Amino acid sequence: MKKKDKVNRQIIHLFATSLCLCVISSCSIKYDSEFSPDEANPELTFTQATLYKIEEGNLKMQLNSTLIEQYKNDNSYAENADFFTWDNNNELDTTGSCQIMGIDQRNEIYTLLNDIEINSNSNNLEIKTDALRWNGKNQQLTSNRESDVYIKHDDMVITGKGFSASGISKSYSFSSAVTGEMNSGSNNEEAPEENSGE
């Protein structure tokens, strides 16, 4: 009786294995249903590239990068990026750099990652952090909650988390407690630069 049970189990196991093989071999893969190779592979790739954005004959932005990939969905990716923007008076307004930049042209969203440094001449503002997101439609600059953001603004040096800034109101805030120092008077104006990036 034990031998019979053992044989029955082997037959059931063999039948189940055969059934699985038949089902697997009869399946067809729909390559075009969920994944399109065109979306995963860049349409254009540039190395050691410089891109310009010109509006009404005036230079508005310049991007230098060791690698730029452009995709069909109007998204781009840049490595080791240096960028510059000019104001309406054609004066250099902002300089910056980061290791990785994601550009969503359709939604005007720019994502900056790793070793970010931004200097705004018009706002006398310096920013250093590891993750930022700029929304061009509402002119909002935000960091993630985990990254420390270093700000040097006029005579004030601040470090905190949960940074957000408005390009419209020219104001910024932190969602967490901040540390820093404020120097007043001409004798101490150079002091914050000694702690830059610390």
Side-chain angles (χ1 to χ4, degrees):
M1 192 155 179
K2 290 182 181 178
K3 287 184 180 179
K4 187 177 180 183
D5 289 342
K6 188 175 181 182
V7 170
N8 285 341
R9 284 187 200 143
Q10 288 177 344
I11 292 172
I12 291 171
H13 179 70
L14 183 62
F15 176 77
T17 304
S18 300
L19 182 63
C20 287
L21 288 173
C22 288
V23 170
I24 290 170
S25 63
S26 65
C27 288
S28 62
I29 300 172
K30 296 181 180 179
Y31 290 99
D32 58 345
S33 62
E34 295 181 4
F35 174 77
S36 172
D38 292 338
E39 293 176 5
N41 298 314
E43 186 175 24
L44 297 170
T45 301
F46 307 94
T47 57
Q48 303 301 327
T50 300
L51 301 180
Y52 302 95
K53 181 178 181 181
I54 298 173
E55 294 178 359
E56 299 177 0
N58 296 319
L59 181 62
K60 289 295 182 182
M61 189 179 89
Q62 177 180 329
L63 172 65
N64 303 332
S65 176
T66 57
L67 174 68
I68 297 175
E69 295 178 344
Q70 187 168 351
Y71 296 81
K72 282 189 174 180
N73 58 5
D74 290 333
N75 289 344
S76 299
Y77 163 88
E79 286 184 358
N80 303 314
D82 294 314
F83 51 91
F84 312 86
T85 65
W86 284 262
D87 61 19
N88 294 331
N89 298 320
N90 298 322
E91 293 182 2
L92 184 63
D93 182 45
T94 305
T95 62
S97 62
C98 63
Q99 287 186 4
I100 299 171
M101 178 186 289
I103 303 168
D104 180 350
Q105 294 179 6
R106 193 172 297 165
N107 297 305
E108 297 182 41
I109 294 174
Y110 301 83
T111 304
L112 285 65
L113 298 171
N114 301 338
D115 296 330
I116 303 165
E117 291 188 24
I118 299 174
N119 289 283
S120 173
N121 297 329
S122 59
N123 298 311
N124 195 22
L125 181 69
E126 179 184 351
I127 301 172
K128 293 182 182 181
T129 188
D130 284 323
L132 283 176
R133 184 173 186 258
W134 168 254
N135 186 323
K137 290 185 177 178
N138 61 18
Q139 296 189 27
Q140 193 77 17
L141 182 67
T142 55
S143 73
N144 63 23
R145 294 182 180 179
E146 294 79 25
S147 295
D148 284 325
V149 180
Y150 166 91
I151 300 287
K152 180 174 181 270
H153 184 217
D154 295 331
D155 58 355
M156 185 168 51
V157 176
I158 299 174
T159 301
K161 299 179 189 296
F163 171 79
S164 65
S166 170
I168 298 172
S169 66
K170 307 293 184 188
S171 62
Y172 60 88
S173 63
F174 292 86
S175 64
S176 67
V178 299
T179 59
E181 60 184 79
M182 180 182 292
N183 295 292
S184 59
S186 58
N187 293 336
N188 295 326
E189 286 182 354
E190 298 295 326
E193 294 182 359
E194 295 175 5
N195 298 325
S196 179
E198 296 294 318

